[in-house]
Amino acid sequence: MKKTVMFDLDGTLLPFEQDEFIKLYFGGLCKKLAPYGYDPDGVVKNVWRGTKAMAENDGSRLNSEAFWEVFRAAFPDKVDAREFCDDFYTKEFDAVKACLKYVPNHKPMIEKLKSAGAEIVLATNPLFPECAVMTRLAWVGLSGEDFTYITHYDNSTFCKPNPKYFTEILQKLGREPVDCVMIGNSVPEDILPTRSLGIESFLLTEFVENPSNEDISGFNSGSVDAALEFVLNL
C-alpha cells in the first residue's frame, strides 16, 4: 500500500455540490461583514478577486498574503476584516453544513488506512484559513487529529490545479510521487495534476467535477468504499 493517502475535501469527504455551498457561504459571510460597512456586492467581488490571486500564486508568498493584499486594497477605508472573517469561520460558518446531502461516517475508513500504515493528508485546495477547514471537517465528525498534514492558505504557496501544489506537499512530507495516492472528485484539480506527476489517483464519481468532459474511462474511479479497497490493494 502507498505510504501517503491524500484526500480532497469538498465533494470528496464532504458530500455536496459547489454551487449550493458557495451560495450559503457568501450569504453568511456578507451578513457577518455588513455591520462593519462592507457591502455584499463588494465582498463577493473581492473574495473572488482574492481567490484569483491565490490561484495565480507563484510560490513567492503564502496564499493568505496574496488574498489579503487584494481584499484589503479594495476596502482601504474599512476596519480590517480578517479578524471578523476568522470569527465567522469558527462560528457562523457552521450553518453552511446545510449544503451536505447526507452525513457520512468516514472514521472507519481513516482508521483502517492508519492501521494499514498509511499517513493521511487532507489535500484540500488551500483557499481558506485553517479554522475554516476545521469547521468543515467537523461537519462529518473528523478533526485535525485524523490527518498527518492539512493544507490551508497559511501554509501553502500554490493552489490546485497547479501541480506545484502537490509537489509542495511531497517536499514537506519527504515523499516521492510513487509513495502517494490522491483521492478526489475533481478531474482538473485532483486527478490530472497528480497524474502529471506520476502520483496514483482515484476519482470519486458521486459528485464528480469534469467541466472539460475529459475521457475518464481509463481512470480508477467509483465510490468512497471502492476507493478504500483500491488503496488497500495498491
Side-chain angles (χ1 to χ4, degrees):
M1 193 187 75
K2 301 294 186 182
K3 296 176 183 177
T4 302
V5 181
M6 298 185 289
F7 283 97
D8 175 51
L9 183 57
D10 300 343
T12 298
L13 295 178
L14 298 183
F16 67 68
E17 295 171 344
Q18 290 288 349
D19 289 348
E20 188 171 357
F21 168 81
I22 290 171
K23 179 181 177 180
L24 292 171
Y25 162 59
F26 275 126
L29 183 63
C30 289
K31 183 178 180 181
K32 179 71 172 184
L33 294 180
Y36 307 101
Y38 286 85
D39 67 283
D41 289 344
V43 169
V44 173
K45 175 183 176 181
N46 288 290
V47 165
W48 283 124
R49 289 182 64 235
T51 300
K52 183 174 184 289
M54 290 190 285
E56 295 174 350
N57 198 3
D58 60 2
S60 61
R61 56 182 173 167
L62 293 172
N63 288 345
S64 57
E65 294 171 326
F67 175 85
W68 284 107
E69 179 181 302
V70 168
F71 194 85
R72 286 167 175 149
F75 302 98
D77 60 335
K78 299 290 189 295
V79 62
D80 188 73
R82 177 154 188 178
E83 178 183 348
F84 308 125
C85 288
D86 286 349
D87 191 63
F88 166 77
Y89 289 127
T90 57
K91 296 176 183 176
E92 293 94 336
F93 191 41
D94 193 54
V96 182
K97 66 184 176 185
C99 70
L100 295 182
K101 302 301 183 183
Y102 57 92
V103 180
N105 180 13
H106 294 309
K107 276 284 191 181
M109 174 180 66
I110 298 296
E111 292 305 318
K112 190 172 291 187
L113 289 170
K114 286 185 175 181
S115 296
E119 64 177 356
I120 313 300
V121 172
L122 187 65
T124 180
N125 211 0
L127 303 173
F128 289 94
E130 185 178 20
C131 56
V133 179
M134 293 302 117
T135 295
R136 284 184 291 162
L137 283 175
W139 294 349
V140 291
L142 297 176
S143 71
E145 296 178 355
D146 293 306
F147 301 88
T148 300
Y149 184 72
I150 294 173
T151 58
H152 50 80
Y153 79 178
D154 279 315
N155 69 1
S156 304
T157 63
F158 297 101
C159 289
K160 301 177 186 179
N162 191 334
K164 291 181 179 179
Y165 161 76
F166 293 99
T167 300
E168 187 171 49
I169 295 175
L170 268 58
Q171 289 174 342
K172 289 184 176 182
L173 297 177
R175 298 299 187 196
E176 297 294 330
V178 70
D179 298 324
C180 307
V181 59
M182 176 66 196
I183 300 171
N185 69 305
S186 173
V187 174
E189 292 193 351
D190 300 320
I191 308 303
L192 297 182
T194 49
R195 284 168 66 94
S196 74
L197 295 172
I199 296 173
E200 193 75 71
S201 62
F202 191 98
L203 176 67
L204 295 184
T205 53
E206 185 176 15
F207 298 99
V208 66
E209 296 176 3
N210 186 17
S212 297
N213 293 313
E214 295 281 344
D215 180 8
I216 64 173
S217 60
F219 294 175
N220 304 305
S221 63
S223 66
V224 173
D225 289 340
L228 174 59
E229 193 68 22
F230 172 78
V231 173
L232 290 174
N233 287 321
L234 284 174

